[in-house]
Amino acid sequence: MRYLALITCILLSISVNAAKKMDLNFGQSYLIESNYLEGGKRNYYINLPSGYSSSKKEYPVLYVLDGQMHFPSAVAIQHSLGSSTDVPEMIIVGIENEYPDRKDLIWQKKDAYISFLSKELIPLIDKKYRTKKERIVFGWEMGSYFSSYLLLHKSQLFDGAISSNGGFVDKALIKKFASLEVKKDRYLYLVNSIQDIYSIDSTNSAVEALKEHPNQHLVWEGELLNDETHSSLPYLAMFNGLRYFYHNYNSYEFYSIKQYEELGGIPALKKYFKARSNRFGFPEGIDNSTKDTLIWLAWKRDNFKYFDFFMSEFKDVLKTERYQSEYWQNRLGQYYLKYNRYDKAIEFFNRGRKEFEETARVYHGLGQAYLGKGNKKLAMEHFKIAVDIATKNSDDNLGNYQSDLDNAEKG
């Protein structure tokens, strides 16, 4: 995944001069007049989600400091993540911060820049586009110091910050943040590499300050990606940072029954989806994707105990479009048949036969189930129908069906 993200970013990360023109399909360039910034104006870039013009949805916004360098990469990463449902579609705003302005951003000019954001750029974006008032800011190098500072600032402009190769958090800043009336959690992702000798001390200092002064409304993670360098880290930082901010946006997926048990089972899942609902406005219950995952996991791992439990617990998901076919009724019936749960097997075979398509295999399954229950008469009736349908359709399994019929007659 790391290399996929980097390759994607490299392919789309064009030169600064080309990015300024932005006469491309992934963004456009605009100029904003400012009463707060030196020079009185600033370039910014916009990328809208692919379905923006045809929808009425509101979208979260990712603000990228040093947009002249990182805006194309932000677009590429967000589109890659968005296509996998790990994060929602987003509006991307890249803010140009050329030298020498970006060098002094966190120190001499931070108050002016916050005024520019809070009173000029953000109101403009919110007015011009359908924004969700959910904002994340990304900063690298000097922008990294400013992004973490912004997150904890009293203006509360941002819900999340991704700070790559730096970061600024100290006791005074956390103390001020603790005094604010924070209405929802803020998320901070700090990332660096031991190879970045220029800024690693700042990141470590920020992490120590966060450890020493925990706050219930500040959710954070400090990560070291030591294979990366000062220049390569920002792409991966943005990729991981977006996933961190939206860590509970996606459905919950499992790769083992043990993982499900260690999570805490159904009560823990209900808690997860309730928190997800409160944060993103999704329906509160466990979603169908997770229900499917657990049913299939138990089936594929041949854990009948959990399969039967999930089939009962999530019986509503069996009414969804995915399972509306003779194919699925037969597969589920066959698994119950394997464990001699004949009545459940008959239930699925019969549904496949009555509601979808009369096939040789569902009649053969019914014959096996009735034979298991000791009802030889019904078993032979269904075996015979299976043979007739298989003969008519030149079914490759005709020999097996005929053999079971013959054995039932002899038995």
Side-chain angles (χ1 to χ4, degrees):
M1 181 173 288
R2 166 191 164 199
Y3 294 109
L4 176 61
L6 288 175
I7 290 171
T8 303
C9 292
I10 291 169
L11 289 174
L12 287 178
S13 294
I14 56 179
S15 68
V16 172
N17 289 334
K20 286 182 179 180
K21 294 179 181 178
M22 232 27 92
D23 187 20
L24 301 169
N25 62 0
F26 62 88
Q28 293 189 2
S29 176
Y30 297 92
L31 185 68
I32 181 173
E33 299 291 336
S34 176
N35 294 318
Y36 299 96
L37 299 181
E38 290 185 11
K41 57 187 179 180
R42 186 62 52 103
N43 286 324
Y44 68 96
Y45 316 127
I46 292 287
N47 174 268
L48 299 177
S50 57
Y52 183 88
S53 61
S54 60
S55 78
K56 296 182 179 179
K57 290 170 53 178
E58 294 182 341
Y59 297 89
V61 186
L62 171 64
Y63 285 83
V64 180
L65 303 177
D66 293 320
Q68 75 279 4
M69 291 185 285
H70 301 302
F71 174 76
S73 300
V75 174
I77 292 171
Q78 190 275 144
H79 277 254
S80 174
L81 286 172
S83 65
S84 65
T85 71
D86 284 341
V87 303
E89 290 186 298
M90 306 176 74
I91 295 171
I92 311 293
V93 179
I95 310 169
E96 188 175 286
N97 292 311
E98 295 282 11
Y99 285 101
D101 288 344
R102 70 181 300 270
K103 186 175 181 181
D104 296 329
L105 187 60
I106 187 60
W107 308 121
Q108 288 88 356
K109 302 177 181 179
K110 63 179 183 296
D111 292 334
Y113 205 91
I114 290 174
S115 294
F116 161 68
L117 290 172
S118 63
K119 298 178 182 179
E120 295 177 332
L121 182 60
I122 291 177
L124 175 66
I125 299 300
D126 288 344
K127 181 179 180 180
K128 190 173 181 180
Y129 304 101
R130 297 192 307 274
T131 62
K132 200 177 180 181
K133 309 303 185 289
E134 178 178 281
R135 307 185 194 101
I136 307 169
V137 59
F138 169 82
W140 171 73
E141 205 178 54
M142 295 308 299
S144 157
Y145 296 88
F146 190 52
S147 62
S148 52
Y149 177 82
L150 270 173
L151 184 71
L152 301 176
H153 190 262
K154 63 182 180 180
S155 60
Q156 298 189 52
L157 293 175
F158 294 94
D159 303 287
I162 304 169
S163 296
S164 174
N165 303 77
F168 176 75
V169 180
D170 65 7
K171 180 179 178 180
L173 191 59
I174 293 180
K175 189 174 181 180
K176 289 180 181 178
F177 178 78
S179 67
L180 302 176
E181 185 180 347
V182 181
K183 297 180 180 179
K184 57 182 178 179
D185 291 344
R186 297 292 194 268
Y187 291 82
L188 173 60
Y189 179 73
L190 290 156
V191 61
N192 213 324
S193 166
I194 57 174
Q195 296 193 52
D196 190 351
I197 59 173
Y198 308 103
S199 64
I200 186 64
D201 290 342
S202 297
T203 303
N204 290 337
S205 176
V207 167
E208 288 304 312
L210 290 167
K211 288 180 179 179
E212 292 175 9
H213 306 282
N215 184 285
Q216 63 175 336
H217 291 298
L218 181 60
V219 183
W220 66 276
E221 180 175 335
E223 187 172 12
L224 290 176
L225 301 177
N226 292 329
D227 289 337
E228 306 305 325
T229 65
H230 180 77
S231 298
S232 71
L233 184 60
Y235 307 106
L236 196 57
M238 198 183 306
F239 185 89
N240 289 351
L242 285 173
R243 294 188 69 187
Y244 178 71
F245 182 83
Y246 288 106
H247 64 278
N248 59 345
Y249 182 83
N250 208 343
S251 299
Y252 210 109
E253 298 182 355
F254 295 90
Y255 57 84
S256 72
I257 294 298
K258 182 180 179 182
Q259 181 194 12
Y260 163 80
E261 292 175 332
E262 290 177 345
L263 176 69
I266 297 298
L269 272 179
K270 289 181 177 179
K271 183 178 179 180
Y272 172 88
F273 279 97
K274 183 176 182 180
R276 179 176 181 252
S277 173
N278 291 337
R279 186 178 177 197
F280 299 114
F282 294 141
E284 187 171 308
I286 301 171
D287 72 5
N288 288 342
S289 179
T290 295
K291 293 175 182 179
D292 282 334
T293 296
L294 287 170
I295 289 173
W296 288 27
L297 178 65
W299 174 29
K300 293 294 186 181
R301 299 294 185 268
D302 200 15
N303 189 321
F304 182 78
K305 174 184 174 182
Y306 269 114
F307 174 82
D308 193 41
F309 170 73
F310 293 140
M311 288 286 285
S312 175
E313 184 75 17
F314 304 141
K315 58 186 177 182
D316 59 307
V317 81
L318 302 176
K319 298 178 182 178
T320 59
E321 184 177 356
R322 177 189 293 275
Y323 298 98
Q324 303 313 300
S325 67
E326 173 274 339
Y327 170 84
W328 274 109
Q329 302 309 306
N330 177 68
R331 295 198 74 172
L332 296 171
Q334 289 292 342
Y335 195 64
Y336 275 113
L337 188 63
K338 176 181 178 179
Y339 282 90
N340 302 327
R341 293 289 298 275
Y342 301 120
D343 288 335
K344 291 294 293 184
I346 289 170
E347 175 186 331
F348 284 99
F349 289 136
N350 266 331
R351 183 162 185 250
R353 175 178 65 87
K354 294 177 180 179
E355 297 185 22
F356 302 107
E357 180 183 2
E358 291 189 333
T359 63
R361 63 186 176 187
V362 294
Y363 278 102
H364 180 253
L366 283 166
Q368 291 178 305
Y370 282 121
L371 194 63
K373 285 172 65 69
N375 192 329
K376 181 179 177 181
K377 180 181 178 181
L378 280 178
M380 290 177 61
E381 287 180 9
H382 287 89
F383 282 147
K384 188 175 188 310
I385 296 174
V387 168
D388 291 342
I389 295 175
T391 300
K392 180 181 177 181
N393 296 332
S394 300
D395 194 316
D396 291 341
N397 291 307
L398 174 59
N400 294 331
Y401 300 156
Q402 184 66 60
S403 176
D404 283 350
L405 174 60
D406 293 342
N407 290 335
E409 289 175 340
K410 295 174 184 177

